[in-house]
Every structure is written in structure tokens, then in C-alpha cells.
Amino acid sequence: MKIVLLGYMGSGKSTIAKALALEMGVVAKDLDKQIEANVGLSIPEIFEQKGELFFRKKERQVLEFEINNESEGVLALGGGTPCYGNNMDLISSQHNVRSIYLKASISSLTQRVLADSSERPLIKGIKADDIPEFIGKHLFERMPFYERADLIVNVDQKSVEEVVGEIRDLL
Ligand code: S3P
């Protein structure tokens, strides 16, 4: 089985993917890291030098490769991956893929995103005071895509171990 973790920036997808994969004895993969390796630039550099449309096309290509191969593992998507093209249809169409939405509140996402905003091209130009409103609006737009996941796990105020335990119980 392939587990796909999705959710907004700062919801803990990469951290949970690593911990869950370790627990299940499978590999953890990160879509953003694969895009970086494929292009030879960091995510902020790709946005700066090539633009978001280029990034979204690469994101789709790498997603297709990851979803369509036979390997098992836990794959952390980027925050926007489910919301572009028909990426969520692709993810939902595979019988061996279980998708999990890591759901977090606006206030916890704000705290986590503020901690490393310079690494996040979509947040970079926004004033710290405006981040909660930005995330609120953005999350409202993205929620219908995230909620198409097979499972939804609330991550607020939970440790990594608690989230991993909950996912294991649900699977
Ligand atoms: C994005 C989220 C980022 C990365 C890119 C775009 C988004 O991934 O893919 O900066 O559109 O929300 P993380 O959710 O891992 O930060």
C-alpha cells in the first residue's frame, strides 16, 4: 500500500511521513524533495527563477511517477499538490493508495508557517500580521480538495507519536 499525506503548509506532512514510514518499515518520500532533485534547484529557487506554473507542471509529473509505480511507502505531498489540475482524481483513482489529510487550525498553521516563512515562496512576501487572514482565505479555497482524502486526522495539539498512532489505528 501507498500512503499519501496531504494538508496545508506547516501541517507536519514531512515529519509525520518519516515517523509513520519508520513505524511501518517502509520508505518515506517527499514530493518537494523529489522536485528539487529533478530540477536541480531548491523550491524557493524554482519559484524565483522558473515561476509557479513551471513548478506546478513538475509537481504533476513527479506525482504521476510516484502514484503510478508499484513501490510501497509514505509520500508527503506539497501543500498545493491536491489543488491543481486533476491531481486529486489521480490520487483517488488508485486502489493501492490511501490518502490522509492532516488537518490543522489556522492558529497552529500560522505559528508553524511563521517559524520558517522565508523557505515558503507563497508566504514570503506577506507581513506577519496578515498571515492568519492569508491562511484562512487560502485554506477555505483549498479545503474542498483536502477533504477528498480517504481519511482525515486532526493534528492540533498532538505529538508526532500521537498522530502516527492514530493513523495506524485508522489504516
Ligand atoms: C506549496 C507548499 C510547499 C511547496 C511549495 C508550494 C503550496 O510545500 O510545495 O512551496 O502551494 O502550498 P509544503 O506544504 O511542504 O510547505
Side-chain angles (χ1 to χ4, degrees):
M1 193 177 22
K2 253 189 243 291
I3 312 285
V4 169
L5 300 183
L6 54 102
Y8 200 75
M9 289 176 270
S11 56
K13 301 178 293 288
S14 306
T15 307
I16 301 293
K18 282 185 208 144
L20 182 61
L22 195 67
E23 171 98 9
M24 295 174 72
V26 295
V27 288
K29 293 183 175 184
D30 194 299
L31 205 71
D32 280 346
K33 294 264 176 305
Q34 311 231 21
I35 297 167
E36 291 181 329
N38 178 296
V39 180
L41 294 170
S42 69
I43 299 293
E45 285 168 345
I46 297 174
F47 271 73
E48 252 173 61
Q49 296 176 27
K50 310 255 182 200
E52 184 172 355
L53 287 183
F54 174 90
F55 171 80
R56 295 299 171 196
K57 276 190 213 154
K58 275 286 162 208
E59 184 176 50
R60 168 69 190 199
Q61 278 171 17
V62 178
L63 177 70
E64 268 178 30
F65 175 79
E66 283 303 328
I67 294 290
N68 289 330
N69 71 40
E70 289 301 315
S71 68
E72 293 196 320
V74 184
L75 175 68
L77 302 184
T81 317
C83 317
Y84 289 86
N86 62 347
N87 291 351
M88 218 43 221
D89 292 335
L90 173 68
I91 292 163
S92 313
S93 67
Q94 304 295 320
H95 67 278
N96 63 336
V97 174
R98 300 295 291 280
S99 55
I100 305 174
Y101 170 28
L102 302 183
K103 188 170 184 167
S105 66
I106 295 171
S107 63
S108 62
L109 291 171
T110 300
Q111 282 173 21
R112 297 197 203 181
V113 155
L114 272 177
D116 52 10
S117 61
S118 64
E119 294 303 308
R120 302 182 188 278
L122 297 182
I123 300 282
K124 212 176 165 186
I126 298 165
K127 281 189 278 161
D129 285 354
D130 294 335
I131 299 264
E133 282 68 32
F134 175 85
I135 292 180
K137 179 175 179 290
H138 211 192
L139 199 53
F140 179 74
E141 291 160 1
R142 289 180 165 191
M143 199 81 87
F145 298 95
Y146 294 157
E147 288 188 337
R148 287 180 61 193
D150 298 317
L151 300 167
I152 299 179
V153 173
N154 206 314
V155 297
D156 278 341
Q157 264 112 46
K158 287 183 193 153
S159 66
V160 171
E161 293 71 29
E162 284 172 315
V163 175
V164 167
E166 231 175 272
I167 294 174
R168 292 285 275 160
D169 290 345
L170 287 168
L171 286 173

